[in-house]
Amino acid sequence: MKVHVCAVGRMRAGPERVLFDDYQTRFDRTGRGLSLGPLSVLEVEDKKSLGMGAEAALLERVIPKGAVICAMDERGSVMTSPKFANQIARWRDAGRSDLAFIIGGADGIDPELRKRADFKLSFGNMVWPHMLARVMLAEQLYRAASILSGGPYHRV
């Protein structure tokens, strides 16, 4: 199952980029034998600043057809790492070929796109900077692959 981070905004060079790239590499390596990955990043930019609706239209263009859509949203489910790993495994085992995590712009995800999501995931009630949320997501994806491979992270 291919995994995609579909996000508004461009990640520039810097510490967040270094961390994201490291976790992306780790996920790709660990996930390969589990039929998970590779992890791709699909970035969109609302250059005309038309708001959430325009961002949603751009995101919809890059979400692979038939993908499980997981919206990163503070109103979503808060999960333990093992439960997150098991959820990913269920989607994979159900034969889903793509999993798309969507991260909105400064105002979040358009309500209509959020309604279309198959699942909503939260890293807690706080709102996180979008680039940091990407790093946290990449780390949790790597952790999920490690858990599913029987690694030392919170064995299930």
Side-chain angles (χ1 to χ4, degrees):
M1 179 173 67
K2 294 180 219 141
V3 180
H4 313 274
V5 175
C6 304
V8 174
R10 306 259 181 233
M11 185 175 267
R12 311 234 186 282
E16 296 92 348
R17 181 54 173 242
V18 171
L19 282 169
F20 183 91
D21 289 349
D22 181 49
Y23 286 120
Q24 181 179 24
T25 300
R26 290 180 190 202
F27 172 78
D28 287 347
R29 238 186 274 132
T30 306
R32 189 175 303 125
L34 303 167
S35 297
L36 292 174
L39 173 60
S40 67
V41 180
L42 306 167
E43 297 175 318
V44 299
E45 213 164 357
D46 176 19
K47 293 181 181 180
K48 296 180 182 177
S49 299
L50 297 176
M52 283 193 300
E55 291 172 352
L58 292 169
L59 284 168
E60 287 175 342
R61 287 186 203 143
V62 299
I63 296 170
K65 298 263 186 268
V68 174
I69 300 173
C70 180
M72 300 302 299
D73 186 85
E74 69 268 14
R75 293 166 287 254
S77 298
V78 176
M79 309 177 86
T80 65
S81 296
K83 285 185 180 177
F84 180 60
N86 287 330
Q87 181 61 65
I88 291 172
R90 278 193 295 278
W91 287 323
R92 178 202 59 200
D93 296 347
R96 302 302 293 265
S97 61
D98 291 278
L99 170 58
F101 291 92
I102 55 174
I103 301 174
D107 296 322
I109 298 170
D110 181 77
E112 290 304 312
L113 179 54
R114 194 171 51 239
K115 281 184 209 170
R116 279 196 45 228
D118 300 291
F119 193 79
K120 294 165 196 74
L121 179 65
S122 173
F123 287 143
N125 292 329
M126 294 179 179
V127 176
W128 295 94
H130 295 157
M131 297 308 160
L132 188 52
R134 287 191 204 189
V135 172
M136 293 165 62
L137 176 59
E139 190 280 335
Q140 284 299 305
L141 288 166
Y142 163 62
R143 187 176 297 258
S146 294
I147 290 167
L148 294 171
S149 70
Y153 287 124
H154 311 284
R155 293 185 199 277
V156 290

